[in-house]
């Protein structure tokens, strides 16, 4: 049991340390592009969320206001 725990801990440490990578200065520009964000188009996502919640006639997870749409596109 102790050996399996030690192996699991070493594996987790190895996985955690593999994420620590030196990024060269000329590569940082690629990582700073808007396309690399989790949500590259926040305004478009907000509009789509608003439209979806109004068509569903139910409150959105982002607002406290209720829906009430007709369900049409």
């Amino acid at each position: 049991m102790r050996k399996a725990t030690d192996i699991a801990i070493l594996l987790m440490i190895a996985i955690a340390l593999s994420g620590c990578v030196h990024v060269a200065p000329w590569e940082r520009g690629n990582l700073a592009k808007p396309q690399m964000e989790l949500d590259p188009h926040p305004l478009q996502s907000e509009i789509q969320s608003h439209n979806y919640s109004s068509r569903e006639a139910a409150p959105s997870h982002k607002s406290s206001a209720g829906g009430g749409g007709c369900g049409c596109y």
Side-chain angles (χ1 to χ4, degrees), residues 8-20:
I9 291 173
L10 286 174
L11 183 61
M12 283 189 265
I13 290 172
I15 290 172
L17 290 177
S18 68
C20 301

Side-chain angles (χ1 to χ4, degrees), residues 10-70:
L10 286 174
L11 183 61
M12 283 189 265
I13 290 172
I15 290 172
L17 290 177
S18 68
C20 301
V21 178
H22 176 72
V23 178
W26 57 87
E27 294 174 337
R28 292 182 185 151
N30 292 331
L31 296 175
K33 289 183 179 177
Q35 296 88 351
M36 295 296 289
E37 294 182 19
L38 292 176
D39 188 8
H41 307 290
L43 182 60
Q44 183 179 6
S45 298
E46 186 64 32
I47 291 170
Q48 287 176 346
S49 174
H50 173 74
N51 288 340
Y52 179 77
S53 65
S54 65
R55 283 194 309 266
E56 282 293 312
S60 171
H61 68 278
K62 291 187 177 182
S63 70
S64 60
C70 64

